[in-house]
Amino acid sequence: SSSSSSSSSSSSSTFTSSSASSSYSSYQDSLVRMLLKVDIPGFQQKIIDLLMDALCSEHSGDGGEDDDAGGGGSSASSSRLPFCTVALQHLRWLDYVADSEALSRKLMECIDVCPFKVQRDIVLMIPEIVGDVELDDLVEFLLEKMEEYASLTVAILDALTNLHLAEDSLESVMDRVIQQLQSSELEVSMWFKL
């Protein structure tokens, strides 16, 4: 009976601790989103810079290894969302972006310094982060990365497919992509549905 009581108490304690952690995480999410909506000149970009700098810092020592490989992490750490995912989630579907060009520059900076898995995650979320704004520099950057890193081809094609491009930009992008696919050994053309 005493053992059962102790077990029940332990379970209750674990549940309470887990619930508190979950509530704290939700509060943090809400707080960051609220800060990103503050309408003060330059403030939103400062929050974005802090998020992205933290993301780059968090993964600066990964050495390009895939976090999914090896399976050496503890069950506790593997149950949490990767910091990259958490940081990028804050930037998805914002009601407005005060400085789209500054945001895209920050995304490009992070792609340049992060390991492959994080690069891929950022690239895949770009359409949901930048929204309907057409950013020629960002599109050009993605095309250059596709030419430089074949391993990012599928992710970049997916991002380009979901970006809102003007007709003339779309034709130029298609020409570049076709040339790249023709010179590449990858069989990824089925991913490109522009």
Side-chain angles (χ1 to χ4, degrees), residues 96-156:
Y96 82 102
V97 175
D99 191 339
S100 298
E101 291 185 1
L103 171 58
S104 68
R105 282 195 301 270
K106 202 65 186 178
L107 290 170
M108 290 186 281
E109 286 176 15
C110 285
I111 291 171
D112 271 334
V113 302
C114 286
F116 166 72
K117 188 174 186 300
V118 180
Q119 288 179 323
R120 184 189 63 198
D121 289 348
I122 295 173
V123 167
L124 288 171
M125 278 205 198
I126 280 177
E128 299 174 2
I129 293 173
V130 302
D132 295 340
V133 179
E134 182 176 351
L135 300 165
D136 294 338
D137 289 346
L138 181 57
V139 172
E140 179 62 28
F141 174 83
L142 290 175
L143 290 170
E144 290 176 359
K145 286 299 172 187
M146 187 176 70
E147 295 168 359
E148 188 176 355
Y149 301 110
S151 56
L152 284 173
T153 298
V154 171
I156 291 173

Side-chain angles (χ1 to χ4, degrees), residues 3 12 14 16 24 34 37 95 106 127 131 135-136 141-142 153 156 168 170-171 175 182 187 190:
S3 166
S12 174
T14 302
T16 302
Y24 179 65
M34 287 170 62
K37 296 176 183 179
D95 294 336
K106 202 65 186 178
L135 300 165
D136 294 338
F141 174 83
L142 290 175
T153 298
I156 291 173
D168 54 343
L170 180 58
E171 291 179 4
D175 288 342
Q182 286 178 333
E187 297 288 336
M190 75 286 292

Side-chain angles (χ1 to χ4, degrees), residues 80-107:
R80 296 179 304 176
L81 283 173
F83 180 76
C84 171
T85 302
V86 174
L88 293 174
Q89 289 284 3
H90 291 308
L91 301 177
R92 296 175 69 205
W93 309 122
L94 290 174
D95 294 336
Y96 82 102
V97 175
D99 191 339
S100 298
E101 291 185 1
L103 171 58
S104 68
R105 282 195 301 270
K106 202 65 186 178
L107 290 170

